[in-house]
Amino acid sequence: MATYEQANEVDEASPLYANQLPVLADLTPTTDSLQAKLKSLTRQYPVFASLHLHLDGAGAPRPCCLAVLSSLEATMSSFPDLTESLDWVSKTFKWGGHRCPFVCEANTHKEALDCGSRSCIAMTALRMSEPARKGSLRVAGVQMIRRCSRQEGNRWLKSFERAHGDTKWVSDDISFHQVVGLVNEKNEVMLWDFARMYLYPLDMNAEGALLAMRVGKVPSLPVDHPSFDHVVSEPLPLPHMLQFEGRQVPLGQWVTLLPPSMRVTGLKDITEFNPNVPHVPRPLPPRNDALVSCLNIPNRDELP
């Protein structure tokens, strides 16, 4: 049976609709165990993963971290549009089992970063992109709970055990994940996961289906150094309410996207903020350029 990842790899040029994701036969309908697993994973990670700077005795950033930030800034400034920035970040920072609390470590282990460290180094880089500097792009952190097959979950856990990584993020047939939220000037957010995107699910039993999410402020890097301007340490503010697939999503709160038959007590329901918004299928952009087009992010020549 094809997985979400394999479906995206078959033909990246063809639209993929959320209701065409493969349904996993071994996923059960609403049960108390599903609610318990969802609650457990949302509580397992109460704060967003973040990156820090190595500081010297005087509290100033060490050269190792400044060098990485300088390199990221130079690279981001060389790209004329957001698509090229996203493509470069996708190819440079790979997924794996390393959790790196410091910027320099994340760069050292860029071939195998866990989702938290990987999304944080990506957010740091994207905040230096031209659209972010000009205010047409803001970057947010996104925590999510999604469906996975038991076989895939077991494979992930064995891989992370070998790498001595975190193994608390998979619970049977659901998993925790942290990705990047790209926010345009209309306060519309799209969930970016290194060339993969997530939409409002139409089938809660589909592999990769988004069950719950929380959009939050980007953990900032406090850099007080003449080489960097304010965009490095002071990300643009986010509104208290964002638009996700035409629906209101409150900043900083876990919301469940489950249908009424699968409600989870203790998580706010997204329909509380959107009582009259129907489930409308949307094409899933399989490439970064399609995502940028959906967000209407201008390129360098179009920026003021």
Side-chain angles (χ1 to χ4, degrees), residues 181-197:
L182 302 177
V183 184
N184 65 11
E185 294 178 283
K186 296 180 180 179
N187 295 328
E188 297 169 332
V189 61
M190 293 199 75
L191 313 186
W192 182 75
D193 189 15
F194 298 82
R196 180 196 301 161
M197 295 77 178

Side-chain angles (χ1 to χ4, degrees), residues 106-128:
N107 187 65
T108 299
H109 297 287
K110 60 187 176 185
E111 293 295 326
L113 295 171
D114 74 0
C115 67
S117 299
R118 191 182 183 213
S119 64
C120 284
I121 195 69
M123 288 188 282
T124 300
L126 293 173
R127 277 166 46 201
M128 298 178 180

Side-chain angles (χ1 to χ4, degrees), residues 16-279:
L16 178 67
Y17 289 82
N19 62 344
Q20 292 178 335
L21 292 174
V23 176
L24 302 180
D26 61 338
L27 294 182
T28 58
T30 178
T31 61
D32 291 339
S33 63
L34 172 63
Q35 297 191 7
K37 287 182 290 188
L38 274 170
K39 290 180 182 179
S40 175
L41 283 181
T42 56
R43 294 168 182 169
Q44 188 70 48
Y45 301 92
V47 298
F48 287 87
S50 59
L51 287 178
H52 306 276
L53 299 171
H54 271 304
L55 304 179
D56 60 23
R62 292 185 179 274
C64 57
C65 286
L66 290 178
V68 173
L69 293 178
S70 294
S71 177
L72 288 176
E73 186 175 44
T75 301
M76 290 294 104
S77 64
S78 70
F79 297 130
D81 57 47
L82 182 59
T83 297
E84 291 188 37
S85 298
L86 294 174
D87 287 343
W88 180 84
V89 171
S90 299
K91 295 175 182 177
T92 303
F93 301 103
K94 305 298 183 181
W95 181 71
H98 285 284
R99 173 166 295 179
C100 302
F102 297 107
V103 171
C104 55
E105 291 181 353
N107 187 65
T108 299
H109 297 287
K110 60 187 176 185
E111 293 295 326
L113 295 171
D114 74 0
C115 67
S117 299
R118 191 182 183 213
S119 64
C120 284
I121 195 69
M123 288 188 282
T124 300
L126 293 173
R127 277 166 46 201
M128 298 178 180
S129 67
E130 197 72 12
R133 290 181 181 277
K134 296 295 185 179
S136 60
L137 171 71
R138 287 162 291 171
V139 185
V142 180
Q143 295 177 320
M144 64 170 64
I145 310 296
R146 61 180 193 137
R147 286 285 198 185
C148 65
S149 68
R150 292 181 175 88
Q151 293 83 355
E152 187 175 32
N154 289 333
R155 178 172 56 82
W156 288 339
L157 290 181
K158 290 179 181 178
S159 174
F160 271 56
E161 286 173 354
R162 289 193 296 270
H164 304 288
D166 178 18
T167 57
K168 299 177 181 178
W169 54 280
V170 177
S171 179
D172 194 25
D173 55 8
I174 65 173
S175 62
F176 172 89
H177 196 34
Q178 181 165 318
V179 301
V180 178
L182 302 177
V183 184
N184 65 11
E185 294 178 283
K186 296 180 180 179
N187 295 328
E188 297 169 332
V189 61
M190 293 199 75
L191 313 186
W192 182 75
D193 189 15
F194 298 82
R196 180 196 301 161
M197 295 77 178
Y198 290 89
L199 298 179
Y200 196 104
L202 298 182
D203 188 339
M204 295 300 161
N205 289 324
E207 184 170 6
L210 181 62
L211 305 183
M213 61 183 287
R214 177 168 67 162
V215 183
K217 297 179 181 179
V218 179
S220 60
L221 295 173
V223 178
D224 183 11
H225 195 275
S227 299
F228 305 99
D229 59 32
H230 70 282
V231 298
V232 177
S233 55
E234 299 178 17
L236 293 171
L238 295 167
H240 295 299
M241 198 72 74
L242 293 165
Q243 292 277 342
F244 172 66
E245 288 296 296
R247 296 164 177 83
Q248 299 284 329
V249 175
L251 188 68
Q253 296 187 43
W254 275 105
V255 294
T256 175
L257 288 76
L258 294 171
S261 62
M262 302 174 72
R263 288 289 180 252
V264 179
T265 304
L267 294 184
K268 288 184 177 295
D269 192 302
I270 196 170
T271 57
E272 293 180 19
F273 308 96
N274 308 269
N276 300 315
V277 179
H279 291 213

